[in-house]
Amino acid sequence: MKLSTKGLSLLAVGASIIALSGCSAGGPTTGGDSSEGAASTRACVILPDADSGTRWERGDRPALDKALKDAGYDTDIQNAKSDTTAYATIADQQLAQGCGVMILIDYQGAAIQVAAKAKAQGIPVIAYDRPIEGADYYVSFDNFHVGELQGQSLLDGLEAAGVDPKAAQVIYVGGDATDGNAKQFHDGADSILKAAGVVPVFETKGTWVAAEAGTAFEQAYTTVQGNLDGVWVANDTNAQAVIAVLDKNGKKIPVTGQDASIIGLQNVLLGKQVSTIYKPFTVEADAASKLAIQILGGESPSVADKTDDGVPYVKLDPEVITPDKVVDVIDGGDATYADVCTADVKAACDAAGLTE
């Protein structure tokens, strides 16, 4: 994926990312009694998991549901709960009832067959957050750039610690290889680190399961006998598992992350994580909703960017969050002062100038 040379303002993204073409074939309806049938009025959405540490239920579900219903369309939003069989079953049920558009967040490749079934029925598919083979549109943040930002953050951390990147002992802890984004995060980070002379001494098997990431990292840590200067980690959840191992061994070194989760923000404030990457779900949900609403309204969206394989790509810009930028996440509504600044983090919040 090529790095975009022109960033989008998060505040203006809803108005600027999608240019319309074509004419409406009919306005929205407010229920399922339209003569056009349910398929023309329903947006079918499948979320990948319901884990408390992820954003899908607390963030994306209500944002997508509200935007689509406010536009007058029906929604069917269900969660596969980390089960590929459940994912397929949900999709079959939704398709049987009729969908005008499908918004799919992939889980371990389960969305590929769903996308094929939808397209066979003439139903457009929006790959949301994660790429899906065969999708008609892709809405996500610039994930290669996410990796680049992580790589630069790790380099900044090494420099602050007085470590020469060319001599640095660095472990990579990546995401699940079945998630197309994981490779983009890895490759973006590696492009920056490699250019600076960093050669990883160990790469763990990728996963999004924190317990697995922690176990794999602990094994890697033992392998290098604790001789370690930094860790590139693909997201905040895995970073917390890595930090737990480092804490147990009394070691504090630069660790990366992403998602601007509560634990990630806390670790950034406490100096246990050099940064997290902020990808506001509200911005992503807004972009996907606008695209779906155009499709449901009979319009033919035109999207400026494309993926390397030619899929129209609504590409959104991420933001690096360091202690002085945690306020951006709180002001953006994706975290609260009360959630972040718990008793054990209060002093760090005060130092960063955060107030209730």
Side-chain angles (χ1 to χ4, degrees):
M1 181 182 297
K2 295 181 179 178
L3 179 61
S4 172
T5 58
K6 185 176 181 181
L8 297 175
S9 164
L10 290 179
L11 294 176
V13 68
S16 63
I17 56 176
I18 300 172
L20 299 180
S21 65
C23 300
S24 173
T29 64
T30 57
D33 296 329
S34 167
S35 60
E36 295 177 350
S40 66
T41 65
R42 277 166 44 93
C44 299
V45 183
I46 304 181
L47 307 175
D49 67 69
D51 296 342
S52 61
T54 60
R55 55 186 257 202
W56 310 116
E57 287 294 337
R58 66 178 175 82
D60 296 80
R61 176 192 285 272
L64 290 167
D65 190 55
K66 183 178 188 306
L68 290 160
K69 284 182 175 175
D70 282 353
Y73 293 104
D74 300 327
T75 62
D76 183 350
I77 304 177
Q78 298 190 52
N79 197 308
K81 299 182 179 179
S82 305
D83 186 330
T84 55
T85 300
Y87 199 112
T89 300
I90 289 168
D92 287 344
Q93 292 171 345
Q94 289 179 331
L95 290 169
Q97 293 174 29
C99 304
V101 64
M102 296 196 86
I103 301 175
L104 304 176
I105 302 99
D106 189 32
Y107 180 74
Q108 295 188 350
I112 296 174
Q113 288 189 342
V114 175
K117 288 181 179 180
K119 291 188 73 174
Q121 295 184 29
I123 300 167
V125 173
I126 299 172
Y128 184 72
D129 195 70
R130 300 170 180 171
I132 299 169
E133 181 182 339
D136 298 285
Y137 300 93
Y138 178 39
V139 177
S140 189
F141 284 82
D142 187 338
N143 295 306
F144 187 87
H145 188 42
V146 168
E148 291 180 315
L149 296 175
Q150 291 176 324
Q152 187 57 54
S153 289
L154 186 56
L155 288 180
D156 293 344
L158 292 173
E159 180 181 359
V163 177
D164 180 358
K166 294 182 178 63
Q169 295 275 107
V170 173
I171 288 176
Y172 286 5
V173 179
D176 190 332
T178 63
D179 177 352
N181 286 347
K183 177 174 169 51
Q184 296 179 57
F185 301 145
H186 173 280
D187 291 355
D190 190 55
S191 71
I192 297 297
L193 294 168
K194 185 178 292 183
V198 173
V199 178
V201 295
F202 200 102
E203 291 197 42
T204 66
K205 181 181 178 181
T207 180
W208 291 133
V209 179
E212 294 177 2
T215 298
F217 174 71
E218 188 155 32
Q219 292 170 346
Y221 186 87
T222 301
T223 298
V224 301
Q225 298 181 321
N227 182 17
L228 195 58
D229 298 303
V231 193
W232 169 73
V233 190
N235 73 352
D236 292 343
T237 304
N238 284 358
Q240 174 57 21
V242 167
I243 289 166
V245 175
L246 294 174
D247 283 349
K248 185 172 69 173
N249 287 278
K251 199 171 187 69
K252 192 172 184 178
I253 56 177
V255 175
T256 66
Q258 93 170 278
D259 291 332
S261 66
I262 298 302
I263 191 64
L265 295 171
Q266 291 176 329
N267 281 329
V268 167
L269 288 165
L270 293 170
K272 296 183 177 186
Q273 200 170 306
V274 288
S275 72
T276 184
I277 309 299
Y278 184 31
K279 304 182 302 181
F281 69 82
T282 48
V283 173
E284 194 170 11
D286 181 64
S289 297
K290 281 180 166 59
L291 193 59
I293 289 165
Q294 292 168 46
I295 292 168
L296 290 167
E299 303 191 30
S300 301
S302 176
V303 179
D305 288 307
K306 292 184 183 298
T307 63
D308 290 342
D309 53 358
V311 178
Y313 179 12
V314 180
K315 186 187 296 185
L316 310 172
D317 284 345
E319 177 186 356
V320 178
I321 301 298
T322 48
D324 60 317
K325 295 292 186 180
V326 171
V327 65
D328 290 356
V329 184
I330 294 175
D331 287 348
D334 294 319
T336 67
Y337 176 91
D339 286 339
V340 174
C341 299
T342 52
D344 54 337
V345 189
K346 179 68 166 60
C349 288
D350 292 344
L354 296 175
T355 57
E356 292 187 68

